Amino acid sequence: MNLLDTFFTALYTIPLEQAALWSLLGNIVMFAFALLLGELLVRAFHDRANSPPPEPLTRQEVLLALICVLLNTLVAIIGLVLWRADIIVLRPNGDVPATLLDVAVLILLMDFGMYVFHRAAHHPLLYPIIHRTHHLYENPRPLTLFVLNPFEVLGFGALLIVVILVAQSSQLAILIYLAFNLIFGLVGHLGVEPAPGAWLRLPLVRTISTSTFHAEHHHDKGHNFGFYTVLWDWLFGTLSPQYQQDFTRATDQSG
């Protein structure tokens, strides 16, 4: 039995309260890692801003971010309970192609699901309840990734559980997806553009979203609802017409 199998076996068998503590620790580590990596990227690409500097940090931002970490832990515990009850089925880890396919399916399903959820959250009836909190901080910093209304955190968490339930991915694929999701969310809230200037000129690569793509959404709530790709915005007509211009402006500043 390899280390990954040992880890998941332990999660499945140890008392639930112990598993909850491990889940909390894991979420705290991911939170700290995101803030540290974000700060390094902001400093490295400080001359490629795609948003004005953020306002001074407030207690409310910090409190909302900490609540987000706790609620992400709650979502993980719910997922664990469903797995232990055999409602969520995780397939054994396979070879590299099988794992990559699982990851691709998770990304595709979550990308579409989050586009739909995000766009619905901007409906006038739902926006004040779910999403307005995040848009109080239009000039993002790495912490902004976690500054969400609790209803929004739980909504995204429920979507993830449903996708995992449907996809029946392998254990390794889920871990890879979670790391991928954290990095993409962080990049979208840097306030600077780390992607190379040629990004939007490369076939296929140009469909992958950038920091500028999400920064535009913070300043233009009618466009750019996607997360990992621009495909759904392009397909449904919500891609910002200024995207290429704003991306070029951000990447040309360093020159």
Side-chain angles (χ1 to χ4, degrees):
M1 182 179 293
N2 59 37
L3 184 60
L4 184 61
D5 290 334
T6 302
F7 170 72
F8 274 91
T9 299
L11 275 182
Y12 195 88
T13 57
I14 62 176
L16 185 59
E17 58 270 21
Q18 292 184 25
L21 288 175
W22 279 107
S23 297
L24 175 60
L25 178 60
N27 275 281
I28 291 173
V29 169
M30 287 190 293
F31 176 70
F33 170 78
L35 296 187
L36 176 59
L37 178 60
E39 181 62 27
L40 293 174
L41 289 172
V42 169
R43 293 187 181 187
F45 297 99
H46 67 276
D47 55 350
R48 307 178 92 197
N50 53 30
S51 288
E55 299 293 329
L57 188 66
T58 66
R59 291 181 179 178
Q60 178 173 304
E61 283 180 88
V62 175
L63 179 60
L64 286 169
L66 294 178
I67 291 173
C68 178
V69 172
L70 292 176
L71 291 178
N72 282 338
T73 301
L74 175 62
V75 170
I77 295 169
I78 293 172
L80 180 60
V81 170
L82 294 176
W83 177 43
R84 290 184 173 194
D86 294 327
I87 297 173
I88 287 179
V89 177
L90 302 183
R91 292 189 290 100
N93 296 314
D95 54 16
V96 172
T99 300
L100 292 179
L101 178 60
D102 281 349
V103 173
V105 170
L106 285 172
I107 291 173
L108 181 63
L109 292 178
M110 283 298 296
D111 194 38
F112 178 69
M114 288 194 292
Y115 173 87
V116 173
F117 180 83
H118 188 189
R119 193 166 178 184
H122 276 268
H123 188 280
L125 294 178
L126 298 177
Y127 182 76
I129 302 171
I130 296 177
H131 197 49
R132 182 168 58 189
T133 302
H134 189 62
H135 278 286
L136 294 175
Y137 308 96
E138 299 293 49
N139 301 328
R141 54 167 57 91
L143 183 69
T144 310
L145 169 61
F146 301 92
V147 181
L148 302 167
N149 184 290
F151 288 115
E152 186 164 15
V153 179
L154 294 175
F156 279 123
L159 175 63
L160 177 58
I161 288 176
V162 169
V163 167
I164 290 176
L165 181 64
V166 171
Q168 295 189 359
S169 301
S170 67
Q171 301 160 356
L172 178 58
I174 291 174
L175 291 181
I176 294 173
Y177 166 76
L178 291 175
F180 173 89
N181 178 65
L182 181 67
I183 297 300
F184 254 80
L186 175 64
V187 168
H189 295 89
L190 291 175
V192 299
E193 183 53 76
W199 189 271
L200 297 188
R201 298 193 297 270
L202 299 174
L204 296 181
V205 171
R206 65 186 301 167
T207 65
I208 303 172
S209 68
T210 63
S211 180
T212 300
F213 173 80
H214 191 69
E216 282 186 322
H217 174 73
H218 272 257
H219 298 282
D220 177 6
K221 301 178 184 64
H223 293 95
N224 298 9
F225 297 98
F227 283 81
Y228 311 135
T229 75
V230 305
L231 292 174
W232 310 114
D233 286 284
W234 173 79
L235 183 63
F236 295 112
T238 54
L239 181 62
S240 170
Q242 301 297 317
Y243 178 37
Q244 185 164 355
Q245 177 181 332
D246 289 342
F247 179 85
T248 300
R249 183 184 300 114
T251 54
D252 280 353
Q253 291 180 63
S254 57

